[in-house]
Amino acid sequence: EVQLVESGGGLVQPGRSMKLSCAASGFTFNNYDMAWVCQAPKKGLEWVATISYDGSSTYYRDSVKGRFTISRDNAKSTLYLQMDSLRSEDTATYYCARPAYQGVMDAWGQGASVTVSS
Amino acid sequence: DIVLTQSPALAVSLGQRATISCRASQSVSISRYNLMHWYQQKPGQQPKLLIYRASNLASGIPARFSGSGSGTDFTLTINPVQADDIATYYCQQSRESPPWTFGGGTKLELK
């Protein structure tokens, strides 16, 4: 069974940093690109970032470029999202997702809640 | 960026047909592939893939869900609607990357 389990969320002050992790199991992690998708409270879904299966390519939405870094450790089957210079508008639930083919996200984690507030 | 537009809400009676639409600001089709996908999200839960490439049912999804469309206009149909289907439905395009974009979601409500 494919499982994605996020961790590392919580309350953080504006301007500070936070790192999310996503532990994957039930599939060959290093065969798949991976992505982060966020959802602000009572809002819709927004793609945040994608990393290629080998980590050689990364893509970000404009609003997080230069502040967020997506990375992965294939030996540990773990995906990361380093979030720096956090803003109140980054407050959201962050989902780890597997874009299995042609951008189809066929597996999702349960989400990690991040609240940016003083 | 490709903008996807969905109606915010749809009220339907149990046992009836629900039709949820998604319109893209430009074509999301490449040759024979229509790169539009549908997800269901219930309150407090993560999204779940329902339909991929416009009309293909994801694994484990009941046959009362179906999808259609091409180019810029797509439809998710639920027939008949059951109580368990009350949720918010999102379309997502992967024709342009980055960014992948989602519609604003359609909340399916009981009439």
Side-chain angles (χ1 to χ4, degrees):
Chain A
E1 179 194 4
V2 172
Q3 281 204 313
L4 300 170
V5 179
E6 300 94 337
S7 60
L11 175 65
V12 62
Q13 293 181 327
R16 304 296 291 264
S17 298
M18 177 172 279
K19 187 171 186 176
L20 303 180
S21 300
C22 171
S25 62
F27 66 101
T28 304
F29 184 70
N30 58 14
N31 283 353
Y32 291 86
D33 296 351
M34 293 297 295
W36 289 98
V37 175
C38 73
Q39 185 170 36
K42 301 200 182 304
K43 299 294 185 182
L45 301 168
E46 282 192 337
W47 167 79
V48 175
T50 299
I51 187 167
S52 61
Y53 67 98
D54 61 356
S56 63
S57 298
T58 56
Y59 310 90
Y60 299 92
R61 67 178 299 107
D62 286 348
S63 61
V64 307
K65 277 180 188 174
R67 299 190 300 121
F68 289 12
T69 303
I70 187 172
S71 62
R72 63 192 297 159
D73 184 336
N74 284 346
K76 295 182 178 179
S77 296
T78 302
L79 176 72
Y80 302 102
L81 185 67
Q82 175 68 44
M83 303 182 291
D84 298 325
S85 303
L86 281 160
R87 306 167 180 168
S88 58
E89 55 264 37
D90 297 320
T91 293
T93 297
Y94 287 78
Y95 294 101
C96 164
R98 185 179 79 170
Y101 40 88
Q102 293 181 313
V104 179
M105 285 176 266
D106 70 341
W108 297 69
Q110 86 287 352
S113 178
V114 174
T115 301
V116 183
S117 175
S118 54
Chain B
D1 297 1
I2 297 177
V3 177
L4 303 181
T5 301
Q6 297 181 245
S7 297
L10 175 67
V12 63
S13 301
L14 293 178
Q16 299 302 303
R17 176 195 304 261
T19 303
I20 297 171
S21 63
C22 177
R23 175 163 287 178
S25 60
Q26 62 191 78
S27 176
V28 299
S29 301
I30 304 177
S31 62
R32 62 191 174 99
Y33 292 120
N34 297 301
L35 297 178
M36 183 68 80
H37 324 296
W38 291 94
Y39 302 85
Q40 176 194 65
Q41 187 180 35
K42 297 179 180 179
Q45 295 186 16
Q46 68 267 54
K48 179 169 72 173
L49 176 67
L50 293 177
I51 300 285
Y52 63 95
R53 293 202 298 262
S55 60
N56 297 278
L57 203 61
S59 177
I61 302 302
R64 64 179 183 276
F65 291 90
S66 62
S68 63
S70 64
T72 60
D73 291 296
F74 296 86
T75 300
L76 171 70
T77 300
I78 312 169
N79 187 31
V81 169
Q82 298 187 1
D84 189 51
D85 302 334
I86 300 306
T88 300
Y89 293 84
Y90 294 92
C91 55
Q92 176 238 334
Q93 66 80 25
S94 58
R95 168 65 178 87
E96 180 181 69
S97 177
W100 292 326
T101 51
F102 291 86
T106 297
K107 188 174 183 180
L108 188 64
E109 302 168 327
L110 283 179
K111 193 180 286 186

